[in-house]
Amino acid sequence: MAHTYVSAVVCATAEAVWQVVRPFDGLPRWHPAIASSVLEEGGPAEIGALRRLRFAGGDTEVLERLTALDDVRRTFTYELVEHPFPVRRSVSTLRVLPVVDTGEAFVEWWAESEEDAGDAVGAQALVEELYGSGLTALRHHFAAGRPGGATHVRATPPPPSCAPPPPPRGEGNRKEERGSGSTSRTGGRRGSRSTVAV
């Protein structure tokens, strides 16, 4: 079982970030790598819902099933059902926590996957790039001054401690951004230096 993990501090409240990432069909609204998301079964907050994602810049599609959703803990879990990737099984979780001493949000996104030993490095790098670039885009989504974005969530002012995020990098969030609290790591977790309420 391989564990791939990325995280980032987002300049918005945990509730504001949760309202953006929570809809199971909402990835195209904030993740530039996802061109479309269509629900084939269920609703955007219904356990068992199936979404078909099409990646930008190509014909790659995946089918994913929502397996858990917790609004109190601001977390959801989903699994790959159909995909072209070299993994036998992959279960992912996204969680949003409040950073209590700054009012910002700490976002974690990780995957537990099973793959052949020869495919492990490439599969984990793919997930790390996809999730890392997604969290970078999420930070810019809020830094642009439109916390609700395309989801029409009511705009709320950012915490006063927020600093502008660095420009997106081609390699995503693979290295720690010391000034922002963003981290990315395969095989373990590394968190923000600020106090996070679990």
Side-chain angles (χ1 to χ4, degrees):
M1 179 74 72
H3 179 81
T4 307
Y5 173 88
V6 300
S7 65
V9 174
V10 177
C11 185
T13 65
E15 184 59 29
V17 174
W18 178 241
Q19 291 303 314
V20 170
V21 302
R22 179 183 184 272
F24 196 51
D25 60 343
L27 268 178
R29 299 170 188 164
W30 57 271
H31 199 315
I34 307 301
S36 66
S37 177
V38 177
L39 288 175
E40 297 193 349
E41 289 184 18
E46 183 179 342
I47 304 302
L50 288 172
R51 70 180 179 191
R52 185 169 297 277
L53 302 178
R54 181 171 59 83
F55 286 79
D59 298 324
T60 301
E61 292 186 353
V62 300
L63 185 67
E64 298 175 330
R65 177 185 291 112
L66 183 66
T67 59
L69 174 68
D70 190 328
D71 282 312
V72 175
R73 294 182 172 84
R74 300 188 185 91
T75 183
F76 64 83
T77 299
Y78 59 95
E79 63 182 357
L80 279 175
V81 178
E82 298 175 2
H83 60 89
F85 308 130
V87 297
R88 290 188 296 274
R89 181 173 181 269
S90 181
V91 177
S92 300
T93 298
L94 190 148
R95 180 168 65 170
V96 182
L97 298 168
V99 182
V100 296
D101 55 350
T102 66
E104 297 167 298
F106 181 62
V107 185
E108 302 175 287
W109 202 354
W110 69 87
E112 304 282 354
S113 59
E114 298 177 1
E115 59 272 306
D116 294 334
D119 296 323
V121 174
Q124 289 176 273
L126 177 65
V127 172
E128 188 175 322
E129 174 65 26
L130 179 64
Y131 292 4
S133 64
L135 294 192
T136 296
L138 187 63
R139 295 181 66 217
H140 282 270
H141 176 88
F142 282 95
R146 45 186 179 87
T151 59
H152 304 295
V153 176
R154 179 177 297 176
T156 55
S161 62
C162 289
R169 298 181 302 185
E171 59 180 11
N173 284 3
R174 294 184 184 177
K175 297 180 181 178
E176 181 177 356
E177 297 174 4
R178 298 188 179 277
S180 65
S182 295
T183 62
S184 175
R185 189 174 182 183
T186 299
R189 298 187 184 180
R190 183 188 308 168
S192 168
R193 292 181 176 80
S194 298
T195 305
V196 177
V198 178

